[in-house]
Amino acid sequence: MKFKGALFALALTFSLVMGGLFAGTPAQAASGGVLQCAPFARQVSGIQLFGRAANWWHDAAGKYLRGTLPQVGSVLSFAASRAMPAGHVAMVSKVVSDREVLLTHANWSYRGGIERDVRAVDVSAAGDWSSVKVWYGPIGNLGLRPNVANGFIYAAAAPAPALPVSGVQMASLR
């Protein structure tokens, strides 16, 4: 009897988590906490960074390529701010134009909720994705305030640093 109860609990947890992942409804993490953006972005992008979203940009240095051009599968890193003290990360699911993408992310419009293919627009003066407005479900439109963004973290690993050449004799042709 205990086995059936445990099996039922496992199946229920799985259906809640997977239902949230695929139906766009709020989901609870398997541990019972609210699904956060960083673990979700890691899962959907394959970028293996850990910790607070606000640290991803810095933590990606030397491990992943970073830049200001959106690419499918890259992660848009938002800086920490008064409104978003933990920062935010979201995966680019489609590039619509050089100033518009669709994002797939968690814990933005709804606590613990997952949103797929929601609109994000670069509103920076320089067109460098440093200021971004993102779809906000409760108002059914782009959010009212721009969010400071660091840029995109690409799934490709950064190249290994060059080895120093000290102690190597170079031959010269004369």
Side-chain angles (χ1 to χ4, degrees), residues 63-171:
K63 295 177 188 164
Y64 293 94
L65 296 175
R66 303 178 303 170
T68 59
L69 298 174
Q71 291 180 4
V72 172
S74 65
V75 169
L76 179 56
S77 166
F78 291 88
S81 66
R82 178 179 239 172
M84 247 180 349
H88 187 70
V89 286
M91 187 195 72
V92 176
S93 48
K94 182 178 182 179
V95 176
V96 177
S97 72
D98 61 338
R99 302 220 38 183
E100 183 176 344
V101 297
L102 299 183
L103 298 176
T104 293
H105 60 162
N107 207 29
W108 183 266
S109 292
Y110 306 99
R111 188 168 190 250
I114 294 170
E115 295 173 290
R116 295 197 181 277
D117 300 328
V118 295
R119 191 168 173 234
V121 177
D122 172 19
V123 294
S124 66
D128 62 2
W129 288 89
S130 60
S131 184
V132 181
K133 284 191 174 185
V134 179
W135 175 265
Y136 187 61
I139 64 171
N141 205 340
L142 292 175
L144 301 177
R145 68 174 161 72
N147 301 281
V148 176
N150 300 307
F152 298 93
I153 302 168
Y154 308 110
L163 296 174
V165 291
S166 62
V168 174
Q169 295 286 330
M170 300 298 284

